[in-house]
């Protein structure tokens, strides 16, 4: 999958790439496999949702180039059996098309109908579940999952049976409780989207809730540099410090703005009752000190229980926010009832200081290997020992 912010959306056409294997390790690109699109893609997960014997795709988009905060278009691609894909999103589910800023997705049977549902998560959104009906040829969103009110900066997701009851549960990685904003349900952070200064370009404005008021997150100089028209009415820091976003731009402008909410920051285990309703349990405290960007589900100690290897950290925030660097990688052992015990790096042998992007387990002749991919750094490999 392709993407990037180097070119304006209306000036480019991105072609996803399908490389076909000849069975001998030689790959040939099929340029006609996908239609063009201009979104920044974050994830692609396959499943034969219509049961016709070939693998279809959900392709999730993270952002609209040059326009952070706008919900990009995500895609359902139907496979013709020859590896050529048709965009059927409008036909099957407009709800999936504009679901949000997707960071992770997984197919899993969460409602016991013997067919996998599409579970997606992302930033400035809740985790959403879509179920396909062959009779209507539509994807419909599951309701009352107990996940729809938890709007986070979700970074990753995995599905596994954490408590051995035969039902698929979810592990969902979030930004963590050590983040600058620290929102909750009563004190959400909000992202407002509008052309606030009428210059023909949409802008973003970030607020946090203080005393039920939407107060700017960024400092006076940063805001007045971006919006010079606000300087005259905010000459002093004391003037700016007491103003809400409604005071700065006017009630009429704010009412016409699009709004996204961030009200939950914990990484969680969501235990399934078998009907697609979940009981939420936060992961151990040490995990919450940073983001959870990657999740690998594996049986580390060979007791037939779903253990976890997690990776996190983010370094790209502005100085005011600081860095998320409290993760050394996490090894979590499952007690068989869906609760996890954190293992210190000295005992686990895992110590990762970079910003992890993905974690995979690889089987080799020498044994099981945990492969860790880091942003702007070399991959790391850890060998599992009995």
């Amino acid at each position: 999958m392709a993407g990037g912010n180097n070119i304006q959306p209306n000036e480019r056409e991105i072609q996803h790439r399908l490389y076909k294997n000849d069975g001998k390790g030689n790959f040939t690109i099929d340029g006609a496999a996908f239609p063009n699109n201009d979104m920044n893609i974050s994830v692609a997960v396959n499943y034969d949702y219509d049961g016709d014997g070939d693998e279809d795709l959900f392709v999730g988009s993270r952002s609209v180039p040059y326009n952070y905060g706008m919900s990009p278009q995500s895609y359902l691609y139907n496979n013709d059996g020859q590896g050529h894909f048709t965009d059927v999103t409008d036909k099957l589910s407009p709800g999936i098309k504009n679901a949000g800023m997707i960071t992770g997705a997984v197919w899993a049977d969460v409602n016991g109908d013997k067919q996998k549902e599409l579970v997606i998560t992302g930033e400035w959104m809740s985790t959403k579940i879509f179920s396909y009906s062959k009779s209507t040829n539509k994807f419909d969103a599951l309701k009352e999952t107990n996940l729809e009110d938890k709007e986070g900066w979700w970074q990753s997701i995995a599905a596994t049976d954490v408590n051995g009851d035969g039902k698929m549960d979810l592990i969902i990685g979030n930004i963590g409780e050590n983040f600058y904003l620290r929102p909750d349900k009563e004190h959400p952070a909000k992202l407002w989207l509008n052309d606030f200064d009428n210059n023909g370009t949409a802008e973003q404005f970030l607020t946090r809730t203080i005393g039920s008021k939407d107060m700017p997150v960024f400092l006076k100089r940063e805001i007045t540099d971006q919006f010079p028209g606000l300087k005259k009415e905010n000459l002093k820091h004391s003037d700016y410090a007491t103003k809400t976003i409604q005071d700065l731009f006017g009630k009429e402008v704010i009412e016409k703005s699009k709004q996204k909410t961030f009200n939950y920051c914990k990484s969680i285990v969501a235990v399934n009752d078998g009907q697609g309703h979940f009981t939420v349990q936060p992961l151990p405290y040490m995990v919450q000190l940073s983001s959870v960007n990657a999740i690998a589900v594996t049986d580390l100690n060979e007791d037939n229980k779903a253990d976890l290897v997690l990776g996190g950290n983010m370094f790209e925030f502005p100085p005011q926010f600081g860095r998320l660097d409290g993760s050394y990688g996490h090894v979590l052992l499952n007690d068989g009832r869906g609760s996890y015990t954190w293992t210190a790096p000295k005992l686990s042998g895992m110590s990762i200081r970079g910003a992890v992007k993905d974690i995979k387990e690889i089987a080799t002749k020498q044994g099981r290997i945990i492969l860790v991919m880091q942003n702007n750094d070399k991959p790391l490999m850890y060998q599992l020992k009995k």
Side-chain angles (χ1 to χ4, degrees), residues 194-250:
N194 202 343
D195 181 6
F196 292 103
D197 51 8
N198 294 313
N199 66 352
T201 302
E203 293 94 17
Q204 305 83 25
F205 199 101
L206 183 62
T207 65
R208 64 195 309 173
T209 304
I210 300 176
S212 75
K213 296 181 179 180
D214 299 311
M215 306 302 295
V217 168
F218 291 103
L219 303 177
K220 171 182 174 296
R221 179 178 177 181
E222 295 169 302
I223 294 302
T224 54
D225 282 350
Q226 182 178 5
F227 304 104
L230 297 178
K231 289 183 178 180
K232 185 176 180 180
E233 296 179 0
N234 297 276
L235 294 176
K236 299 179 180 179
H237 289 277
S238 57
D239 297 332
Y240 176 78
T242 60
K243 292 186 177 180
T244 66
I245 185 174
Q246 291 83 0
D247 295 331
L248 292 172
F249 294 105

Side-chain angles (χ1 to χ4, degrees), residues 141-161:
L142 295 189
K143 299 179 180 179
E144 298 181 359
T145 63
N146 196 34
L147 300 175
E148 57 272 316
D149 63 338
K150 296 170 178 61
E151 297 173 297
W153 280 12
W154 304 104
Q155 301 297 313
S156 54
I157 189 169
T160 188
D161 180 6

Side-chain angles (χ1 to χ4, degrees), residues 17 129 140 154 173 182 192 208-209 227 259 262 319-320:
R17 296 174 285 276
I129 303 174
D140 295 313
W154 304 104
R182 298 180 186 175
W192 307 79
R208 64 195 309 173
T209 304
F227 304 104
Q259 178 188 318
F262 171 29
Q320 180 181 346

Side-chain angles (χ1 to χ4, degrees), residues 31-285:
F34 294 96
N36 292 334
N37 80 87
D38 59 3
M39 299 293 106
N40 284 329
I41 303 304
S42 58
V43 63
V45 287
N46 62 292
Y47 175 61
D48 180 12
Y49 69 83
D50 54 3
D52 63 356
D54 51 48
E55 293 295 311
D56 308 303
L57 283 174
F58 166 74
V59 175
S61 299
R62 178 69 171 266
S63 63
V64 178
Y66 285 81
N67 208 341
Y68 177 83
M70 297 296 294
S71 291
Q73 179 179 345
S74 292
Y75 306 88
L76 282 167
Y77 287 122
N78 186 266
N79 190 346
D80 68 357
Q82 303 298 316
H84 292 168
F85 294 85
T86 302
D87 181 2
V88 292
T89 321
D90 285 327
K91 178 181 178 182
L92 268 59
S93 180
I96 290 176
K97 180 177 181 179
N98 298 116
M101 301 171 66
I102 310 301
T103 58
V106 65
W107 294 93
D109 180 8
V110 299
N111 62 0
D113 64 355
K114 308 302 180 183
Q115 178 172 295
K116 293 182 179 181
E117 282 69 52
L118 175 63
V119 188
I120 58 178
T121 199
E123 294 182 351
W124 297 104
M125 63 179 286
S126 62
T127 299
K128 301 177 181 180
I129 303 174
F130 295 88
S131 180
Y132 177 71
S133 170
K134 289 185 178 180
S135 60
T136 63
N137 193 31
K138 297 284 186 182
F139 278 88
D140 295 313
L142 295 189
K143 299 179 180 179
E144 298 181 359
T145 63
N146 196 34
L147 300 175
E148 57 272 316
D149 63 338
K150 296 170 178 61
E151 297 173 297
W153 280 12
W154 304 104
Q155 301 297 313
S156 54
I157 189 169
T160 188
D161 180 6
V162 301
N163 54 9
D165 64 356
K167 301 162 187 173
M168 294 303 292
D169 310 301
L170 300 173
I171 314 294
I172 317 177
N174 208 341
I175 199 73
E177 294 185 278
N178 199 28
F179 185 56
Y180 175 81
L181 294 175
R182 298 180 186 175
D184 57 35
K185 192 171 183 179
E186 288 73 33
H187 306 89
K190 298 177 184 178
L191 184 68
W192 307 79
L193 307 168
N194 202 343
D195 181 6
F196 292 103
D197 51 8
N198 294 313
N199 66 352
T201 302
E203 293 94 17
Q204 305 83 25
F205 199 101
L206 183 62
T207 65
R208 64 195 309 173
T209 304
I210 300 176
S212 75
K213 296 181 179 180
D214 299 311
M215 306 302 295
V217 168
F218 291 103
L219 303 177
K220 171 182 174 296
R221 179 178 177 181
E222 295 169 302
I223 294 302
T224 54
D225 282 350
Q226 182 178 5
F227 304 104
L230 297 178
K231 289 183 178 180
K232 185 176 180 180
E233 296 179 0
N234 297 276
L235 294 176
K236 299 179 180 179
H237 289 277
S238 57
D239 297 332
Y240 176 78
T242 60
K243 292 186 177 180
T244 66
I245 185 174
Q246 291 83 0
D247 295 331
L248 292 172
F249 294 105
K251 183 178 179 181
E252 183 178 350
V253 172
I254 298 307
E255 287 179 347
K256 294 179 180 179
S257 300
K258 295 182 179 180
Q259 178 188 318
K260 292 180 180 290
T261 304
F262 171 29
N263 64 18
Y264 194 87
C265 52
K266 296 179 182 179
S267 296
I268 63 172
V269 178
V271 179
N272 189 2
D273 69 356
Q275 304 296 317
H277 307 288
F278 296 86
T279 300
V280 171
Q281 303 173 1
L283 285 168
Y285 170 78

